Amino acid sequence: MTVRDAKNILGARVLAGEDLLDQEVRSACGSDMMSDVLAFSKDHSILLTGLCNPQVIRTAEMLDIVCLIFVRGKKPDDTLLEMARERGLVVLATGHRMFSACGMLYEAGLNGGAV
Amino acid sequence: MEDAIVLSYAISGEDFTRAGEASSDVKKKLKQMGVSPEAVRKVAIAMYEGEINMVIHANGGEITVTITPEEICMVLDDVGPGIPDVDLAMQAGYSTAPDEIRSLGFGAGMGLPNMKKYTDSMEIDTRIGEGTKITMVVKI
Ligand SMILES: Nc1ncnc2c1ncn2[C@@H]1O[C@H](COP(=O)(O)OP(=O)(O)O)[C@@H](O)[C@H]1O
Ligand SMILES: [Mg+2]
């Protein structure tokens, strides 16, 4: 699927990277612990998180994540969004909780990546 | 070492929100130099975890990255409290980080194991009350 598909499935708003929605995405991970994401993420293109601070953007950057999705209605501030834009990162926001958001994307064909 | 490129960074221990800026800069530069994505990723993750540790456990320090055609060597030097039991600290899940750090997304006790996992060699030289020097190498 593409980032745009993910956005539509979640009914998410685009907060950054409006012009980057046609990128292909295959797998995703969801966590509020950035160390776990750094430990276990292999080729994930989407990171779902309820954590809202600059380290989320940096973690995504280190892992070449394509799209960041803030769950539970979290609203990143302008500084965060500016950081994301500088890095060519798409940022989406959805009101769904973590479990539901992950489930919806999983059901639509995204996988969790290699163990 | 004629072809070596050396990058140095002073890491502030004051500001958690800025932790990772040095790693971010190194990643950008390695990419520009045409280093393989695989090696760039390993360096980025290992250095980022190390940089975060310097900020949350050691009140900052210095990072020196030396790039040669064969390898990337990262030296993370701090004057923090030192690590009393390195074997214990290396265990996945072991952490002395306060809850406040955990609520910021770190302190899962995965940093040092991650750094080992993503590098070809890692050495920890630590003295209680004096500081910690971690040397990591990623082969290109
Ligand atoms: N640079 C350092 N100076 C002092 N102690 C450190 C340093 N790096 C790591 N430690 C100690 O080792 C423990 C494990 O580190 P790590 O695996 O990165 O987990 P975390 O940072 O999540 O606690 C830390 O909780 C801390 O007690
Ligand atoms: Mg750590």
Side-chain angles (χ1 to χ4, degrees):
Chain A
M1 70 171 79
T2 62
V3 175
R4 190 186 307 282
D5 295 329
K7 165 196 167 284
N8 290 337
I9 289 161
L10 296 173
R13 283 181 303 129
V14 184
L15 304 183
E18 294 79 1
D19 51 332
L20 301 168
L21 299 182
D22 293 317
Q23 298 176 87
E24 195 68 30
V25 287
R26 287 203 173 76
S27 70
C29 64
S31 180
D32 290 352
M33 287 307 280
M34 294 303 111
S35 277
D36 282 348
V37 176
L38 288 162
F40 302 116
S41 181
K42 286 216 175 70
D43 296 311
H44 293 134
S45 19
I46 292 186
L47 168 60
L48 297 100
T49 187
L51 188 71
C52 215
N53 68 38
Q55 301 311 340
V56 176
I57 309 278
R58 293 224 174 81
T59 298
E61 173 185 9
M62 300 309 160
L63 295 172
D64 296 311
I65 296 243
V66 168
C67 170
L68 201 53
I69 303 178
F70 288 104
V71 297
R72 304 196 287 272
K74 285 278 151 48
K75 281 200 191 74
D77 62 20
D78 288 341
T79 316
L80 247 63
L81 293 178
E82 198 42 51
M83 278 179 79
R85 286 191 194 100
E86 278 167 19
R87 288 160 176 79
L89 196 62
V90 181
V91 179
L92 306 181
T94 173
H96 290 292
R97 295 190 195 158
M98 179 71 92
F99 181 79
S100 311
C102 291
M104 290 158 89
L105 293 177
Y106 189 89
E107 199 169 45
L110 270 193
N111 66 57
V115 180
Chain B
M1 293 281 277
E2 263 179 45
D3 298 323
I5 294 168
V6 181
L7 307 170
S8 302
Y9 301 89
I11 310 301
S12 157
E14 308 284 296
D15 193 354
F16 178 77
T17 62
R18 294 188 56 189
E21 280 182 358
S23 306
S24 172
D25 190 66
V26 167
K27 183 173 192 232
K28 212 179 299 163
K29 293 205 162 101
L30 292 177
K31 233 168 146 178
Q32 281 165 5
M33 287 174 204
V35 175
S36 77
E38 171 99 10
V40 174
R41 182 185 171 88
K42 287 180 181 171
V43 169
I45 295 175
M47 181 171 161
Y48 181 47
E49 285 282 14
E51 189 178 349
I52 295 273
N53 277 355
M54 289 178 106
V55 175
I56 64 182
H57 303 299
N59 201 31
E62 251 177 51
I63 301 182
T64 309
V65 181
T66 307
I67 305 152
T68 66
E70 293 81 36
E71 62 179 41
I72 296 153
C73 176
M74 296 160 268
V75 179
L76 289 74
D77 208 347
D78 68 56
V79 286
I83 304 174
D85 186 339
V86 172
D87 289 337
L88 183 62
M90 284 300 300
Q91 283 179 20
Y94 176 81
S95 174
T96 60
D99 283 345
E100 171 209 338
I101 294 295
R102 251 180 290 280
S103 71
L104 294 170
F106 284 87
M110 295 305 295
L112 289 172
N114 269 353
M115 288 155 70
K116 180 146 187 77
K117 174 176 159 187
Y118 288 106
T119 54
D120 292 300
S121 76
M122 171 165 144
E123 251 172 64
I124 302 179
D125 180 6
T126 185
R127 287 191 183 99
I128 302 305
E130 288 180 33
T132 301
K133 183 171 165 182
I134 301 184
T135 306
M136 298 182 285
V137 174
V138 170
K139 298 230 171 1
I140 299 186

